Amino acid sequence: MTTPETTPARTFHQSMTAPLRRVLVKRPDGAFAVDDPVAWHYTARPDLAAAQAEHDAFTAILREAGAEVVYHEVDQPTRADSVFVYDPALITNDGAILLQLGKALREGEEEALGQQFEALGVPIIGRLTGDQRAEGGDMFWLDDRTLAVGRTFRTNEAGVAALRALLEPRGVTVMAYDMPVYDGAEACLHLMSVISPLAPDAAVVYPRLMPVPLWQELQRRQMRLIEIPDAEFPTQASNVLALSPNACLMLAGNPVTQKRLEEAGFTVHTYVGEELSLKAEGGPTCLTKPLLRRA
């Protein structure tokens, strides 16, 4: 499945909230319908046809918002989580850094994504090696010169040090924050499980699991923080994709958070993700790798 090239090959950014212009996704295939949901930490075996229909509706919203949708087409027949294209790499103004995923079943997604980047003309400016571990879900751009990184079961100190070594010579400050144990090593509590930037001055957050220093940093920056209720954390209300500084995309079924976002001035788009997101525990940010954000 392909789309016409409508944007230049140089499609990089250091923003979470500028208007989304080009985005990489991976449509669910046979690997996604896992035979052993427990091994993958899924709540149940996804229905593939239903997941594909949900994904098609999801990408239609991205197109309607003005983004060119590009598909990750490298075959990965044993990697169910490869639909979550946000995790294997970090996009910078200069190109991509290939990470090393902390979930053993995901090993190899990094190089597969690297192959897709090469086909799209996105240079690889660095990669993690050895015992360095980091996942994209544990990092986000606080601003265009500051990367926030969570130390978790999936992202270790060696990974943080590697990111610093790669980014600080490029003028980027890496700020690291320790995340709680929560449900343990087999579960996935990423830094972005508890915060999603919506605009340069706003984010949706789940304060109960946020690192105190990050909360204090957001307060120092005078950011508007839209808090989600406890009841909507399991349904990923804190996983929200900014489409522009005044519009966002979130999972349907989180009415309190949706109302709070709308009252804060955001246009909120929703998608149904019963098979695609809730069973596999990955929301709209996880399902996308923005390649170009710009006004």
Side-chain angles (χ1 to χ4, degrees), residues 26-35 45 48 52 76-78 80:
K26 188 176 189 305
R27 193 171 187 260
D29 55 21
F32 187 64
V34 294
D35 292 325
R45 186 177 193 265
L48 180 58
Q52 289 175 333
Q76 300 181 75
T78 63

Side-chain angles (χ1 to χ4, degrees), residues 175-187:
M175 301 179 70
Y177 301 96
D178 291 322
M179 293 293 289
V181 170
Y182 189 51
D183 284 339
E186 296 305 314

Side-chain angles (χ1 to χ4, degrees), residues 38-81:
V38 174
W40 286 92
H41 213 268
Y42 290 6
T43 61
R45 186 177 193 265
D47 179 294
L48 180 58
Q52 289 175 333
E54 290 176 355
H55 194 269
D56 292 344
F58 175 80
T59 55
I61 296 171
L62 299 177
R63 292 188 186 93
E64 289 167 5
E68 175 194 2
V69 176
V70 182
Y71 286 87
H72 184 359
E73 296 181 322
V74 177
D75 189 33
Q76 300 181 75
T78 63
R79 300 180 187 133
D81 280 351

Side-chain angles (χ1 to χ4, degrees), residues 32 62 82 110 117 178 191 210 228 241:
F32 187 64
L62 299 177
S82 60
E110 309 92 338
F117 284 156
D178 291 322
L191 178 62
M210 286 186 69
I228 73 165
L241 176 69

Side-chain angles (χ1 to χ4, degrees), residues 180-259:
V181 170
Y182 189 51
D183 284 339
E186 296 305 314
C188 182
L189 184 71
H190 279 142
L191 178 62
M192 289 193 69
S193 299
V194 301
I195 178 170
S196 294
L198 301 172
D201 68 340
V204 61
V205 297
Y206 185 57
R208 286 182 181 273
L209 294 176
M210 286 186 69
V212 170
L214 176 57
W215 174 267
Q216 293 171 330
E217 177 64 21
L218 299 178
Q219 296 292 333
R220 186 188 69 78
R221 292 171 178 252
Q222 299 183 321
M223 290 188 70
R224 294 179 292 142
L225 302 180
I226 296 97
E227 298 185 13
I228 73 165
D230 291 341
E232 293 184 356
F233 182 69
T235 48
Q236 303 179 40
S238 54
N239 191 316
V240 182
L241 176 69
L243 301 174
S244 72
N246 56 18
C248 60
L249 175 58
M250 68 182 300
L251 264 165
N254 293 295
V256 175
T257 302
Q258 181 176 346
K259 182 178 180 182

Side-chain angles (χ1 to χ4, degrees), residues 9-28:
R10 185 175 177 81
T11 56
F12 320 131
H13 64 92
Q14 290 179 186
S15 169
M16 303 297 294
T17 63
L20 184 62
R21 301 303 190 194
R22 195 180 199 210
V23 60
L24 182 73
V25 301
K26 188 176 189 305
R27 193 171 187 260

Side-chain angles (χ1 to χ4, degrees), residues 262-276:
E262 291 169 344
E263 290 174 345
F266 294 95
T267 298
V268 180
H269 303 269
T270 63
Y271 75 100
V272 174
E274 295 293 330
E275 304 296 324
L276 182 64

Side-chain angles (χ1 to χ4, degrees), residues 122-189:
V122 179
I124 308 302
I125 63 168
R127 64 186 70 215
L128 272 57
T129 60
D131 64 350
Q132 300 161 354
R133 294 287 182 271
E135 295 193 351
D138 278 327
M139 59 194 73
F140 67 92
W141 294 101
L142 264 170
D143 58 45
D144 63 355
R145 289 294 169 188
T146 309
L147 183 73
V149 181
R151 279 185 291 254
T152 68
F153 287 112
R154 305 290 179 86
T155 296
N156 62 17
E157 183 57 40
V160 174
L163 288 167
R164 283 200 174 106
L166 288 165
L167 291 170
E168 289 187 349
R170 299 175 184 272
V172 173
T173 298
V174 175
M175 301 179 70
Y177 301 96
D178 291 322
M179 293 293 289
V181 170
Y182 189 51
D183 284 339
E186 296 305 314
C188 182
L189 184 71

